[in-house]
């Protein structure tokens, strides 16, 4: 746990924990188990779960936690606009905290997560902080897709230092930042975290990576799930080019780089520096990487022609 002074402990800010969720009863249960079991005083934070129109029993799971922790866990519903940006935006105006801590459903944290996050933000006077994310493989799900996901993971430090944003699942932000730059762009199917972070950077707020705070995300073990994710990312890329052309380059659909496999030498160096793998595993992981790229390109092309049809 990060050290904090006695003065800080006595004047700690109120924190709003925001969790968007859609059709993930198991994931939200994992996350709520973790965030309701914090060393931070229960009177010092609230948990806002923003359900994005779930059609299964996700909402019932959240209600059980709100009944168990009536002053801590609160269920909100955003079922008009689909997407994590809309879900988070539904919670932001309801948040009472001077610090907003975002975490995704299916992620878990140490019991000192909030203590450490508050200590970092307050002692350093930070406005925008991204935390380390560790990908772990669940029991019985040690597939090649899970290994691929674990190797490439979430390079939050690189995102912040090179692209001026943090993934939203591991983000802590002061409420004054939203007052200045606005909420997440609900038009984006994905990539809303990058667009928001870029606005924060342009507004002159400081952005920091905190490696001392680790959050945990299960690896995607299904190839289909991985490809669906990157199809969404491809759609988000096209939407970013449509709504924020000043932030991204709009390459031609005919550019061969969109359809070529990853550079084999660079790919080999990357994965062998992270894990010990047999040759057949390396080849299969290369194939997964190529399918992932084609899936993202497919999402991009799909969204491009959807725009033309509209």
């Amino acid at each position: 746990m990060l050290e904090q002074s006695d003065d800080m402990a006595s004047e700690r800010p109120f924190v709003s924990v925001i969790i968007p969720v859609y059709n993930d009863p198991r994931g939200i249960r994992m996350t709520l188990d973790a965030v309701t079991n914090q060393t931070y005083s229960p009177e010092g934070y609230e948990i806002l779960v923003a359900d994005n129109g779930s059609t299964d029993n996700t909402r019932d799971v959240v209600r059980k936690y709100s009944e168990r922790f009536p002053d801590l866990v609160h269920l909100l519903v955003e079922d008009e606009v689909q997407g994590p940006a809309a879900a988070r935006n539904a919670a932001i105006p309801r948040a009472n905290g001077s610090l907003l801590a975002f975490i995704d459903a299916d992620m878990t944290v140490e019991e000192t997560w909030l203590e450490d996050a508050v200590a970092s933000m307050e002692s350093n006077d930070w406005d925008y902080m991204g935390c380390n994310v560790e990908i772990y493989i669940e029991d019985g799900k040690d597939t090649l897709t899970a290994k691929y996901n674990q190797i490439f993971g979430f390079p939050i430090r690189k995102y912040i230092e090179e692209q001026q944003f943090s993934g939203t699942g591991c983000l802590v932000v002061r409420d004054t930042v939203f007052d200045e730059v606005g909420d997440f762009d609900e038009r984006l199917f994905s990539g809303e975290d990058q667009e928001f972070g870029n606005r924060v950077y342009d507004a002159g707020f400081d952005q920091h990576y905190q490696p001392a705070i680790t959050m945990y995300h299960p690896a995607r073990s299904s190839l289909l799930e991985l490809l669906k994710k990157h199809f969404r990312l491809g759609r988000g890329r096209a939407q970013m080019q449509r709504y924020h052309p000043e932030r991204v380059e709009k390459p031609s659909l005919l550019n061969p780089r969109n359809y070529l496999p990853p550079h084999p030498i660079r790919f080999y160096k990357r994965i062998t520096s992270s894990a010990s793998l047999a040759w057949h595993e390396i080849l299969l992981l290369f194939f997964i990487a190529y399918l992932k790229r084609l899936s993202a390109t497919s999402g991009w092309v799909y969204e491009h022609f959807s725009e033309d049809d509209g």
Side-chain angles (χ1 to χ4, degrees):
M1 176 176 159
L2 300 179
E3 294 183 359
Q4 58 181 329
S5 68
D6 292 338
D7 290 340
M8 284 180 57
S10 63
E11 299 179 3
R12 294 184 298 182
F14 192 78
V15 184
S16 295
V17 177
I18 295 177
I19 314 171
V21 64
Y22 174 72
N23 283 354
D24 192 2
R26 178 176 178 268
I28 193 61
R29 188 179 291 111
M30 291 168 50
T31 305
L32 285 175
D33 281 344
V35 298
T36 56
N37 185 36
Q38 293 292 300
T39 56
Y40 206 72
S41 170
E43 289 75 32
Y45 73 108
E46 64 183 355
I47 301 168
L48 305 177
V49 181
D51 182 88
N52 198 205
S54 294
T55 56
D56 57 11
N57 68 327
T58 295
R59 236 176 269 180
D60 293 332
V61 171
V62 179
R63 287 192 184 100
K64 290 181 179 178
Y65 280 87
S66 64
E67 292 170 0
R68 183 180 173 189
F69 304 97
D71 297 324
L72 184 61
V73 179
H74 308 280
L75 171 64
L76 309 175
V77 176
E78 168 52 71
D79 54 8
E80 294 185 3
V81 180
Q82 190 66 43
R88 295 185 184 104
N89 285 349
I92 291 170
R94 296 283 299 274
N96 295 302
S98 59
L99 294 178
L100 278 62
F102 295 90
I103 180 173
D104 288 345
D106 77 358
M107 294 183 70
T108 56
V109 291
E110 304 286 353
E111 63 180 8
T112 60
W113 169 58
L114 280 181
E115 291 272 7
D116 294 342
V118 169
S120 290
M121 294 289 285
E122 295 298 282
S123 63
N124 295 293
D125 195 25
W126 288 347
D127 298 308
Y128 177 108
M129 179 182 75
C131 304
N132 179 48
V133 177
E134 180 178 313
I135 305 294
Y136 67 94
I137 298 177
E138 297 179 281
D139 292 341
K141 296 185 177 182
D142 190 7
T143 65
L144 275 174
T145 300
K147 289 182 180 178
Y148 179 91
N149 195 198
Q150 187 176 49
I151 290 170
F152 287 92
F154 296 97
I156 303 300
R157 180 194 293 272
K158 180 178 180 181
Y159 290 161
I160 291 178
E161 294 179 352
E162 298 182 14
Q163 300 180 50
Q164 291 76 54
F165 83 99
S166 168
T168 324
C170 59
L171 177 65
V172 183
V173 188
R174 292 192 185 276
D175 62 338
T176 50
V177 172
F178 289 98
D179 293 338
E180 178 74 20
V181 307
D183 296 345
F184 297 99
D185 189 340
E186 298 180 3
R187 297 173 298 178
L188 300 178
F189 203 77
S190 71
E192 75 286 348
D193 48 5
Q194 180 174 359
E195 192 279 327
F196 173 74
N198 291 166
R199 267 188 284 135
V200 171
Y201 178 80
D202 290 346
F205 289 100
D206 58 295
Q207 296 178 314
H208 297 275
Y209 171 66
Q210 177 51 280
I213 301 176
T214 298
M215 305 171 71
Y216 303 92
H217 193 294
R220 285 181 171 83
S221 59
S222 164
L223 179 58
L224 181 59
E225 288 179 2
L226 182 70
L227 297 182
K228 284 182 177 179
K229 173 192 174 182
H230 285 277
F231 185 84
R232 291 195 300 271
L233 292 177
R235 290 189 64 185
R237 175 186 170 200
Q239 292 169 338
M240 184 80 80
Q241 292 164 345
R242 180 189 312 162
Y243 299 121
H244 303 281
E246 74 284 358
R247 297 200 179 278
V248 290
E249 180 184 358
K250 188 171 184 179
S252 167
L253 291 174
L254 301 178
N255 188 330
R257 292 184 60 185
N258 297 312
Y259 310 96
L260 292 174
H263 191 286
I265 295 177
R266 287 198 291 267
F267 181 84
Y268 175 80
K269 289 181 177 179
R270 171 69 184 275
I271 63 170
T272 54
S273 66
S274 302
S276 178
L277 300 164
W279 268 106
H280 76 278
E281 291 180 311
I282 295 174
L283 291 174
L284 288 172
L285 289 174
F286 183 80
F287 181 63
I288 290 174
Y290 189 26
L291 287 178
K292 185 198 75 172
R293 175 172 292 184
L294 291 178
S295 182
T297 298
S298 297
W300 176 50
V301 173
Y302 172 85
E303 189 66 30
H304 176 82
F305 284 107
S306 295
E307 174 189 10
D308 291 344
D309 292 342

